[in-house]
Amino acid sequence: MNEHYDLIIIGSGPGGYVAAIKAGQLGKKAAIIENRELGGTCLNRGCIPTKTIMHSSRLFYEAKNLQEAGIEVEGLRFDMNRIQERKEEVVSRIRKGIKSLLEANKVTVISGTATIMDGHRVRVIQNSAQEENTNQEPRELSGDNILIATGSQPFLPPVEGISQENVVTSDQLLSENDFKYHNLLIIGGGVIGIEFASIYQEFGSQVEIIEAMDRILPSMDKEISQSVAMSLKKKGVKIHTKSVVKRISKTDQLLCEYEDSTGTHFAQADGILVAVGRKANTRELFSPEFSLEMEGDKIKVNEHFETSKEHIYAIGDVIKGIQLAHAASAQGIRAVENMYGKKQSIELSAIPSCIYTYPEIATVGLTEEEAKAKGYVVKTGKYPMLGNSKIILSADERGYIKVVCDSSNNKILGAQIICPRATDMIGEFTTAMVNGLTAEDLGKVIRPHPTYGEAITEAAEDVNGMAIHIFPKGMK
């Protein structure tokens, strides 16, 4: 039997389920197809599990250093089984919330694997048939529009020995109930690698990072990259940049052979995390008689998220661009609005990026170097957090806030923050950019004292040399 919907969505991650809810709010009959757990990678194997475990590792690390605040703790230990149980509790609670939202907006949820047959037809092999290996007939759906939101999965490079035991991806590492890796080697110094480096370092493991580029976090502002590298090294993390992994072998431990400009080197570890990037989930998504125009492993779309075939759209990690949950959600809303001729309700020009290390990192818009490369004459304001009262009283690590402005009108082009709560603070700069605000506009706001956020005032006012609480050079 053929079922017809206004919109068929493949994938229930932050892009897919938000798009489905938006369609429901517009009065459209929507169906969402998911071949794994509701909530996609972000909820089940990405953002939420990682940050939940990071919350535990941070508390453990802080507890080990409570003497500075006058508190003595004896017999401190962590229980990875309980940490994993709590992670599952958090994930389950959020998954139930998503299910309730979809039900409230009358979205049909179908558990199975989808194959796009043409511009209006999708075939679904339901999970019960797959698991039981029955001859159950595939479910046939038709839709006025189809939205692809299938996300991505960890990429494994073609390195000799990469498939052996204890060489893992982030998916596998997040599900470990035993704390197996007291010596962890991480291949890849991007966001995923750096966050796991922080987790394992805080739990007391020896951590080593191998990065092919000339610095860790190569997509971030150079000063942020340098600050994070300095902080990690200070805590005992070894970092090798401009280094290429050649092979992985096994003796008593795993042995990773890598090369840099000085020759061949070896690193030993109990476990190796491969975190060199992700690839789009498009395998077997299309029938043999149907295809879309691609850009490598990504689906090509236009500014409206339309693919090369009419009535088929794609968003999130499956297309080129920034791979972030909140970006996928925004794209999902925009795609649905474009399908049905609705006014655009969300601005995509300023998408913040966050890294949940300690201290946290958050950026939005252009760095100073990027702005200059685009032809802007820039002015910058910077506030070193060593003068922030909340940083001092909390015994937090130093950081800074930097704001980049167009010198012709002082409008904000971008901002970079490295300090506690940076991921919560970046929203102010994102709001300013979307609304065309200037550094003066940000400086007018009264922010409470003592807070990390009052440093935003100082950074904004420093654009014109008017900051009050920036210590003179050399003063600490």
Side-chain angles (χ1 to χ4, degrees):
M1 187 178 90
N2 184 278
E3 305 169 54
H4 185 79
Y5 295 90
D6 297 314
L7 175 60
I8 299 170
I9 299 167
I10 305 172
S12 71
Y17 84 75
V18 169
I21 291 168
K22 184 66 177 179
Q25 290 172 342
L26 294 177
K28 304 300 178 181
K29 183 182 179 184
I32 194 165
I33 304 165
E34 174 57 61
N35 66 359
R36 295 183 71 174
E37 309 93 340
L38 195 65
T41 294
C42 175
L43 174 56
N44 299 287
R45 299 171 297 281
C47 319
I48 301 302
T50 306
K51 279 57 177 180
T52 304
I53 292 174
M54 287 187 91
H55 177 70
S56 294
S57 71
R58 175 100 301 259
L59 289 175
F60 181 70
Y61 181 81
E62 288 176 345
K64 287 192 297 184
N65 294 279
L66 283 174
Q67 296 91 338
E68 190 172 341
I71 301 170
E72 297 290 337
V73 178
E74 292 183 8
L76 184 68
R77 65 182 184 87
F78 66 88
D79 180 346
M80 185 54 72
N81 254 314
R82 178 61 194 124
I83 289 169
Q84 288 288 0
E85 284 174 7
R86 180 176 181 273
K87 178 203 76 178
E88 291 303 323
E89 290 164 3
V90 169
V91 169
S92 176
R93 182 175 176 183
I94 297 173
R95 193 186 295 136
K96 287 176 183 175
I98 293 170
K99 186 173 183 288
S100 296
L101 284 169
L102 292 170
E103 288 173 350
N105 286 278
K106 299 180 176 154
V107 176
T108 300
V109 178
I110 300 169
S111 180
T113 299
T115 303
I116 298 174
M117 310 305 292
D118 59 34
H120 294 288
R121 291 188 304 127
V122 176
R123 179 173 292 168
V124 183
I125 298 177
Q126 293 182 266
N127 280 345
S128 58
Q130 292 169 312
E131 292 162 5
E132 297 167 15
N133 198 25
T134 68
N135 294 318
Q136 181 179 331
E137 285 292 315
R139 192 167 174 176
E140 297 282 347
L141 312 179
S142 65
D144 296 336
N145 294 294
I146 297 170
L147 176 63
I148 301 169
T150 49
S152 63
Q153 60 184 293
F155 170 69
L156 287 177
V159 171
E160 181 184 334
I162 204 165
S163 299
Q164 58 191 307
E165 188 180 4
N166 293 323
V167 181
V168 298
T169 66
S170 56
D171 287 6
Q172 296 161 299
L173 203 55
L174 283 170
S175 62
E176 294 283 359
N177 284 326
D178 297 324
F179 193 76
K180 294 164 55 177
Y181 307 130
H182 297 281
N183 190 329
L184 180 69
L185 176 66
I186 300 174
I187 302 174
V191 174
I192 294 172
I194 295 305
E195 288 191 343
F196 275 100
S198 296
I199 290 171
Y200 272 74
Q201 182 275 321
E202 288 176 346
F203 278 140
S205 290
Q206 293 295 312
V207 179
E208 198 163 352
I209 300 170
I210 298 176
E211 168 58 46
M213 302 294 283
D214 63 353
R215 55 190 173 94
I216 60 170
L217 301 175
S219 63
M220 288 277 174
D221 179 78
K222 189 173 183 179
E223 192 172 359
I224 282 179
S225 172
Q226 291 170 339
S227 295
V228 174
M230 190 182 304
S231 175
L232 288 172
K233 288 176 181 177
K234 185 178 176 183
K235 294 170 183 173
V237 176
K238 297 178 182 177
I239 299 174
H240 312 286
T241 55
K242 298 182 183 178
S243 300
V244 179
V245 173
K246 306 307 289 184
R247 63 184 55 83
I248 299 168
S249 56
K250 181 74 181 285
T251 53
D252 293 336
Q253 288 186 304
L254 290 166
L255 189 66
C256 179
E257 180 183 337
Y258 66 95
E259 292 180 356
D260 62 17
S261 59
T262 65
T264 300
H265 307 274
F266 296 90
Q268 285 190 323
D270 304 323
I272 296 177
L273 168 64
V274 182
V276 295
R278 300 180 66 85
K279 62 179 180 179
N281 285 328
T282 56
R283 187 171 176 268
E284 298 182 350
L285 180 60
F286 311 112
S287 73
E289 297 78 29
F290 183 79
S291 64
L292 295 175
E293 191 174 343
M294 307 291 288
E295 296 178 297
D297 70 326
K298 310 283 188 182
I299 298 172
K300 186 175 182 180
V301 295
N302 62 18
E303 68 274 18
H304 303 298
F305 303 102
E306 297 171 306
T307 69
S308 57
K309 296 291 172 67
E310 197 175 1
H311 302 296
I312 299 185
Y313 297 72
I315 59 167
D317 286 8
V318 83
I319 66 173
K320 272 195 170 181
I322 195 165
Q323 293 186 316
L324 295 170
H326 47 278
S329 295
Q331 291 167 359
I333 291 170
R334 282 284 290 265
V336 172
E337 290 171 342
N338 289 331
M339 287 176 203
Y340 300 110
K342 300 298 180 181
K343 182 181 177 183
Q344 295 173 351
S345 64
I346 195 162
E347 176 58 54
L348 299 177
S349 63
I351 300 175
S353 296
C354 300
I355 306 177
Y356 294 81
T357 49
Y358 179 75
E360 291 182 345
I361 301 160
T363 69
V364 68
L366 302 176
T367 65
E368 183 177 357
E369 293 76 14
E370 289 169 340
K372 288 177 179 177
K374 286 181 175 289
Y376 287 102
V377 178
V378 303
K379 291 170 68 176
T380 63
K382 186 176 179 183
Y383 181 67
M385 296 295 284
L386 62 90
N388 179 266
S389 298
K390 187 67 182 290
I391 288 280
I392 296 169
L393 68 89
S394 302
D396 285 318
E397 291 194 28
R398 298 174 181 177
Y400 65 87
I401 298 179
K402 184 177 181 180
V403 56
V404 181
C405 298
D406 181 346
S407 65
S408 68
N409 53 24
N410 266 10
K411 285 189 177 180
I412 294 168
L413 300 173
Q416 298 86 46
I417 309 176
I418 178 166
C419 75
R421 305 296 180 189
T423 59
D424 298 313
M425 293 159 61
I426 198 65
E428 280 210 52
F429 289 105
T430 309
T431 300
M433 289 179 63
V434 167
N435 291 282
L437 301 184
T438 66
E440 287 86 354
D441 292 327
L442 273 186
K444 290 175 183 176
V445 178
I446 298 174
R447 297 175 176 86
H449 173 77
T451 61
Y452 303 115
E454 62 186 320
I456 293 173
T457 305
E458 302 297 334
E461 292 186 341
D462 188 52
V463 171
N464 294 314
M466 300 299 291
I468 293 173
H469 292 100
I470 293 183
F471 293 163
K473 286 184 179 178
M475 183 176 175
K476 295 183 180 179

